Structure formats: C-alpha cells, structure tokens
Amino acid sequence: YRNGLQVASLPVNGINMKSSLKSLGIGTKISDSEAGRASNSAPGHWDGSLDEIAIFNYALSAEQIELLYKIKE
C-alpha cells in the first residue's frame, strides 16, 4: 500500500517464526550475515524520510489498512 492504495500483493502461506534474524533495520540495510550493520563501503541507508511506521504481529485486512490511512489524514 502507498498513500492508502494497494500497489501490489502476493499470497503468503504463513510466516516462518523460526527465523535466524537477530536484528531489524528500518531505513538502513543491516549486513547480509544478519549480525549487524552493513559495511562502510556499502551502507545502504534510506535517502529520505520515514513517517508513521508501525509493525504488526498479524496480517492487516484491506479494511484495516484503509482505516489506518484515513485516521492519519
């Protein structure tokens, strides 16, 4: 979703809860080994701003996404 409109979708059959992911990067690329930040030679930082970030532990329905978009307007 971008600006309240669906731009792409992909069916997923569950989430792998046994991930080896040790860290999460928002706005930056962590290293490929998942052990920390990327190297100085290829930092992979987002060049822009991020606003209204939220992480949910369940999939949102189209109606829930629309409601969240309308609340922020």
Side-chain angles (χ1 to χ4, degrees):
Y1 283 79
R2 187 179 306 129
N3 295 326
L5 300 174
Q6 184 176 346
V7 295
S9 68
L10 180 68
V12 177
N13 186 14
I15 297 175
N16 179 3
M17 299 305 287
K18 300 199 184 296
S19 173
S20 63
L21 183 66
K22 303 279 188 262
S23 57
L24 172 67
I26 298 177
T28 190
K29 179 185 177 198
I30 57 176
S31 70
D32 293 334
S33 69
E34 299 178 347
R37 69 191 235 354
S39 69
N40 289 334
S41 61
H45 297 290
W46 172 260
D47 185 17
S49 60
L50 300 171
D51 189 26
E52 306 281 336
I53 301 286
I55 298 174
F56 298 87
N57 63 349
Y58 56 91
L60 297 176
S61 68
E63 293 79 19
Q64 289 171 312
I65 293 170
E66 182 179 359
L67 179 61
L68 288 171
Y69 179 74
K70 288 180 177 180
I71 289 172
K72 78 170 191 104
E73 288 185 308

